[in-house]
């Protein structure tokens, strides 16, 4: 296989949940640049349309689809729309997720006071919001005996991060689900159907900006600790995720199944000493 063929996605169809978010849209652009046609799923159609327009302006092909990852009926309609237009699904990138303020403990607060509804919301958004798209789009890939599912984990799944217990537990569960599905789907539907995950390090987005930076752009104490424990010495940029995602989705990783790849600037391997 030639080097350029390792990430060649021409003719493939990719579904990106959370495709209008900061990280999801960057990964969608990367998949489109490799030749894939992209279905951008998001709760707000206008935001998905904006990403589709960006893809089109760069010569790509995008299809905006309004769908909540916690709504099985909406996901079924999205699947029918994608298959109706392009006839197939080859890639499912589960980029929807995140945390919420109610599930984030205030500095010094106790987990004993964590609202149970906030816990359920965070776990549902991340864990159930990963499973339901797989249930919706997976059968199409299973019928074709080929496809790549890429889930999004987090540094919070591997090392204890204070203040975010619900998000951490959900992301840890996503890693276990990734490995479980990798085994189950390959055994039942063949080696061509693979499930892997990416564990991003620290990327600044709307959900964590106030935790990591001050209004003037300087680092909060938490943000400074993260940079101190990141050998690369910086936060991640959305495009830093593209290369790993292209590898996991392309033919170059055809014998890779059930792995979680950190993209973290070395955070996960540094002891701090």
């Amino acid at each position: 296989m030639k080097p350029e063929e390792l990430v060649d996605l021409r003719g493939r169809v990719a579904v990106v949940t959370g495709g209008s978010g900061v990280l999801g849209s960057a990964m969608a652009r990367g998949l489109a640049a490799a030749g894939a046609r992209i279905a951008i799923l998001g709760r707000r159609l206008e935001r998905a349309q904006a990403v589709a327009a960006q893809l089109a302006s760069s010569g790509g092909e995008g299809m905006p689809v309004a769908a909540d990852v916690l709504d099985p009926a909406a996901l079924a309609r999205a699947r029918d729309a994608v298959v109706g237009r392009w006839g197939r699904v080859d890639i499912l990138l589960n980029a929807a997720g995140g945390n919420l303020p109610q599930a984030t403990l205030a500095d010094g607060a106790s987990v004993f006071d964590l609202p149970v509804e906030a816990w359920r919301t965070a776990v549902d958004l991340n864990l159930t919001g990963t499973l339901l798209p797989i249930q919706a789009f997976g059968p199409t890939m299973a019928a074709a005996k080929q496809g790549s599912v890429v889930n999004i984990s987090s540094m919070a799944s591997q090392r204890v991060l204070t203040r975010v217990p619900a998000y951490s537990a959900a992301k840890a569960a996503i890693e276990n689900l990734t490995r479980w599905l990798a085994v189950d789907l390959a055994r039942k539907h063949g080696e061509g159907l693979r499930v892997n995950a990416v564990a991003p390090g620290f990327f600044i987005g709307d959900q964590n900006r106030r935790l990591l930076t001050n209004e003037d752009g300087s680092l909060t104490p938490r943000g400074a600790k993260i940079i101190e424990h990141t050998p690369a010495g910086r936060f991640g940029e959305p495009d830093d995720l593209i290369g790993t995602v292209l590898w996991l989705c392309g033919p170059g990783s055809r014998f890779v199944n059930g792995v979680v790849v950190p993209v973290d600037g070395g955070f996960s391997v540094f002891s701090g000493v």
Side-chain angles (χ1 to χ4, degrees), residues 29-120:
R29 289 193 299 270
L31 292 169
R37 293 166 288 184
I38 314 296
I40 305 116
L41 270 63
R43 286 181 293 184
R44 295 173 56 184
L45 182 60
E46 64 273 16
R47 293 185 61 183
Q49 289 171 329
V51 176
Q54 291 175 359
L55 299 184
S57 68
S58 301
E61 186 176 359
M63 174 184 180
V65 183
D68 187 329
V69 293
L70 295 178
D71 184 342
L75 289 169
R77 291 192 295 269
R79 177 201 58 221
D80 292 344
V82 174
V83 174
R85 176 168 175 176
W86 288 320
R88 58 192 294 170
V89 175
D90 302 286
I91 296 163
L92 172 61
L93 174 58
N94 280 310
N99 201 11
L100 60 155
Q102 299 91 328
T104 301
L105 295 175
D107 196 13
S110 171
V111 70
F112 302 142
D113 301 319
L114 179 67
V116 67
E117 287 306 318
W119 166 278
R120 288 173 176 152

Side-chain angles (χ1 to χ4, degrees), residues 158-212:
Q158 302 175 13
R159 305 185 66 179
V160 174
L161 304 183
T162 60
R163 302 178 61 185
V164 289
Y167 178 77
S168 300
K171 288 300 189 180
I174 285 173
E175 292 198 2
N176 186 279
L177 179 64
T178 295
R179 291 187 284 267
W180 191 93
L181 288 170
V183 172
D184 187 70
L185 296 183
R187 293 181 69 195
K188 291 178 178 175
H189 304 288
E191 64 171 313
L193 184 53
R194 302 178 294 113
V195 186
N196 295 292
V198 175
F202 293 87
F203 293 71
I204 293 181
D206 294 337
Q207 295 177 348
N208 66 358
R209 190 177 306 277
R210 291 183 180 180
L211 280 173
L212 304 182

Side-chain angles (χ1 to χ4, degrees), residues 4-5 65 81 103 114 135 173 176 179 233 239 248:
E4 62 271 20
E5 295 174 340
V65 183
L114 179 67
Q135 289 183 325
N176 186 279
R179 291 187 284 267
D239 285 358
L248 290 176

